[in-house]
Amino acid sequence: MADNKFVYFFGNEETEGKNSMKDLLGGKGANLAEMANLGIPVPPGFTITTEVCLLYLEKGVYPEEVIDQINNAVIKLEKVTGKKFGDTENPLLISVRSGARVSMPGMMDTVLNLGLNDDTVIGLSKKTGNDRFAYDSYRRFLTMFGDVVLDIEHEKFESALSAKKKTLGVIQDTELDASALKELAEQFKEIIRKETGTDFPQEPRKQLQMAIDAVFNSWNNQRAITYRRLNNIPGKWGTAVNVQSMVYGNMGETSGTGVAFTRDPATGDKRFFGEYLMNAQGEDVVAGIRTPEPISTLKDNLPEAYARLEAIYHKLEDHFRDMQDIEFTIEEGKLFMLQTRTGKRTAAAALKIAVDMVNEGLIDKRTAVTRVSPEQIDRLLHPTLDSQAEFEVLATGLPASPGAAVGKVVFTAEHAEEMAKANEKVILVRTETSPEDIGGMDAAQGILTVRGGMTSHAAVVARGMGKPCVAGCGSVTIDMASCAFSVSDVTINEGDYVTIDGSTGSLILGEVELVTPGVSGELDTLLSWADEIREMGVRTNADTPHDAQVARDFGAEGIGLCRTEHMFFGEDRIPAVREMILAEDTEVRKAALDKLLPMQKEDFIGLFKVMDGLPVTIRLLDPPLHEFLPKHEELADKLRSLEAEKGSDSEIERIKKIMERVDSMVEVNPMLGHRGCRLGITYPEIYEMQVRAIIEAACELKAGGMDIVPEIMIPLVSHVNELRSTKEDLVEVAESVMAEKNCKFDYLVGTMIELPRAALTADKIAEEAEFFSFGTNDLTQTTFGFSRDDAGKFLPVYIENSILPSDPFAVLDQEGVGELVKIGIEKGRSTRPDIKIGICGEHGGEPSSVKFGYNIGLNYVSCSPFRVPIARLAAAQAVIEKQDN
Ligand code: ADP
Ligand code: MG
Ligand code: MG
């Protein structure tokens, strides 16, 4: 059947795939085809589709046509290369490479030089006249085949290799001669026999089949599953297999292999950046076996190949309009490209490249806005070393992934994960990392390795995760036996604090103060482009002029939530607050409130001034009053010491009375207790004072020429009558203050929607409310019936067991809580079409929740100051995503 095409050829004019076929061919296969289409030299080969992977994993066998199509493709490959698979005169050797839709570094393994056996290796040697090369290829193939396909511990081959080098007194693999390599090949076959109980399969077709099976099976190995989980990659994508004719970087000193980025992946600087090794193959460069050379020196070594590489990388960047991560091999001076993909980069590099490429005319602003993720913005605002701090650098490695981190030293990934679970901050210190370490790297604050370059596993993965990483810190010696590492005569034990700076490569003993940077330069530019695109407002949650200023500097367009209770906790206020709460009658309470009035007024003046005409939503007192009182135990202690010291009777009496009051106010369930508008209804004088403070503050600033529109917000409304009665009262106060001050201006009275009943009756509530703000923290709490303060006991288990996809207090539960928000918006607008609706609470700065908010029609989100830039970008991306769908 024609539509059952499972194999796609690439590498010449008959290339069948292209870049847009990533779902079917995987990223590697699609881009190999695309390079071939661009006329770039790619060793020919073919791609077996991801569909085959899924069918094979499901059924355990291949559809019949697949085998035929593979056989035909091999024949075609033989024709194109003029070599023959399994031939003893001129053998075709191939690589078998995995390649999923998105790159999964190190997750899947590659087998090189497949097709070699005891006979073809002789053919290869004769054909090339290079005995050493032939047996170098053979021993590599046996290792990779043993490791990847036969699942024999890599270490077994590695230690045989080390022993051989030791016996011969050489250090580098390249110093082994043909006869040593020949002996190694024999030893390796022996290892395979011993470990598997069968002989190494000499038959090339058998080797090919086994390698293909292994790639498909590796889709479901533990490392791959963990990586997918951490990166939200669906298991149902599957991987493709690329079978490609070999080119040889190990043919001598005019051959080599390397990896490069078209721009600096750490800083985003526009310079070619990479590493290579002469007389090497495949993963030698990234495996840290020999220390690779910087790409710039290739210019002197092999100028012609370098010039070609330069032309190709420009071509690739222009074509893909993004920074590329490329892999190449030079065979006796001739350059071949083996891979290109969008390069992983740090947050700083993502930002710089996005802005630079707009300036270079490669991409438009809209595209640039999609090139940086909100999470990356978060990272950019993450800590660096405090420039004021004094410290001594203990050792220096490569600046592999920027940012600074502080934590306790651990030496294994498992330990890192355990410690992180116990809320400890750790720095993972390893000789080098491998894919098994991914969980531990994710759990650590930062990573330090002893070996490896800028493209080592640790560096690549850390940059992807946005973790600070210092790689190749060679002066560090790890002693696993004593759980310590040393740098010359300094010993650092497991559990000791260190600080690393991945921007400079420094390792520092102890804890250094970290600072968080602000929005400037390119970030400012990118966010201004985001602002041009986004339709939803971004406000901030702020209770102090300082926070409000920080948020404005981050681009906040007003305050969406000012929690007035935070003002009550101030040292100068709490005595009056307690006096107010403990008052026996209204008169005494009013007297205490009178003391608070001028302070509240000053608070609001401060906020209004910073916001300078932007809307400010002020929420009236929300928490239960007992939160402001001293705890019973505290009072009991005081009483005991007063009695012991023979304190005055009146003081003892006073404390006793307070204690009685405290005891009487204890609530079994304070979250659902006497709080929010329930306070306003039972103690109207509190809200009256607050509204007076708001209106007086506004009057004062108005007189000075400032334009203020206060938004007064009533919390925890569940029934419209609560709002109606409170509002009536407050409007009366507001009007009378304005009359007193002879000042008139608009103000709004609105409500939080944070209880399911409020969302469900939002049409009625909107008859009174002039705006809504969804308090998604309480709404999540009351919708799930999860107490926020107690959820820590079970939520982690829920998430671990996939009962919930994520913490609903961090990521809005769109299906449940989100549905209530949707209902609330629809019902609210049904009775007051122009009602202004926002969201405050943690979710207002969480990217997926912001995007959801846009799609259901919010006017604005409000979030903590540091999340304002994240929300600005997420809101813009929401618009683009909607347009693209
Ligand atoms: P990964 O996904 O881990 O990067 P690859 O499939 O890209 O694995 O293979 C790793 C390396 O193996 C490549 O960068 C390249 O150096 C080498 N390699 C793969 N196929 C060939 C080939 N046909 N000829 C020469 N080298 C190859
Ligand atoms: Mg690999
Ligand atoms: Mg690769």
Side-chain angles (χ1 to χ4, degrees), residues 347-364:
L351 177 65
K352 178 157 173 48
I353 291 170
V355 174
D356 282 355
M357 284 193 167
V358 171
N359 294 334
E360 290 162 26
L362 270 179
I363 57 174
D364 60 10

Side-chain angles (χ1 to χ4, degrees), residues 28 98 104-110 283 286:
K28 198 178 288 169
S98 66
M104 293 170 55
M107 287 295 105
M108 305 281 189
D109 292 300
T110 302
E283 314 230 287
V286 287

Side-chain angles (χ1 to χ4, degrees), residues 202-318:
Q202 295 274 342
E203 172 50 43
R205 295 209 180 246
K206 177 97 194 286
Q207 295 169 356
L208 176 58
Q209 193 56 58
M210 289 172 78
I212 293 171
D213 290 358
V215 172
F216 284 146
N217 286 322
S218 74
W219 179 250
N220 278 339
N221 73 28
Q222 200 47 52
R223 291 176 340 203
I225 291 170
T226 305
Y227 186 87
R228 286 205 292 274
R229 185 169 48 76
L230 289 173
N231 293 279
N232 290 321
I233 297 170
K236 62 173 197 296
W237 282 2
T239 180
V241 177
N242 300 291
V243 175
Q244 189 175 24
S245 53
M246 286 299 299
V247 287
Y248 307 104
N250 57 334
M251 286 188 85
E253 287 312 313
T254 55
S255 302
T257 184
V259 297
F261 291 87
T262 57
R263 302 189 186 210
D264 187 325
T267 62
D269 285 342
K270 195 176 177 187
R271 66 182 180 105
F272 195 39
F273 178 91
E275 294 168 330
Y276 73 102
L277 275 174
M278 297 310 286
N279 198 10
Q281 200 181 44
E283 314 230 287
D284 290 4
V285 180
V286 287
I289 294 167
R290 276 189 280 156
T291 301
E293 297 270 327
I295 198 83
S296 50
T297 63
L298 185 65
K299 205 176 190 163
D300 307 323
N301 273 348
L302 293 171
E304 244 170 73
Y306 184 83
R308 240 173 256 139
L309 185 60
E310 213 169 20
I312 288 173
Y313 97 72
H314 283 302
K315 189 169 190 169
L316 286 172
E317 209 180 64
D318 286 350

Side-chain angles (χ1 to χ4, degrees), residues 28 97 110 259 283 327 338-339 341:
K28 198 178 288 169
R97 318 170 64 188
T110 302
V259 297
E283 314 230 287
E327 298 177 1
L338 288 163
Q339 192 169 340
R341 63 184 161 204

Side-chain angles (χ1 to χ4, degrees), residues 121 125 130-136 138-139 161 164-165 168 170 173-188:
V121 71
S125 165
N130 190 336
D131 212 21
R132 188 197 175 276
F133 153 71
Y135 283 94
D136 184 54
Y138 198 21
R139 63 98 190 174
L161 175 65
K164 175 69 67 192
K165 285 193 281 190
L168 297 176
V170 303
D173 297 0
T174 40
E175 296 170 87
L176 293 168
D177 63 14
S179 71
L181 293 164
K182 200 181 277 188
E183 284 161 25
L184 266 179
E186 288 305 316
Q187 283 179 11
F188 286 178

Side-chain angles (χ1 to χ4, degrees), residues 776 779-780 783-784 804-823 839 843 846-856 881:
T776 48
L779 191 59
T780 298
T783 300
F784 276 94
L804 287 180
S806 52
D807 179 349
F809 290 107
V811 179
L812 187 77
D813 160 46
Q814 300 182 4
E815 196 181 28
V817 180
E819 187 63 23
L820 277 173
V821 176
K822 241 159 85 179
I823 291 171
I839 184 176
H843 306 101
E846 191 283 316
S848 70
S849 311
V850 171
K851 291 178 182 176
F852 175 75
Y854 168 72
N855 287 316
I856 60 172
E881 280 162 27

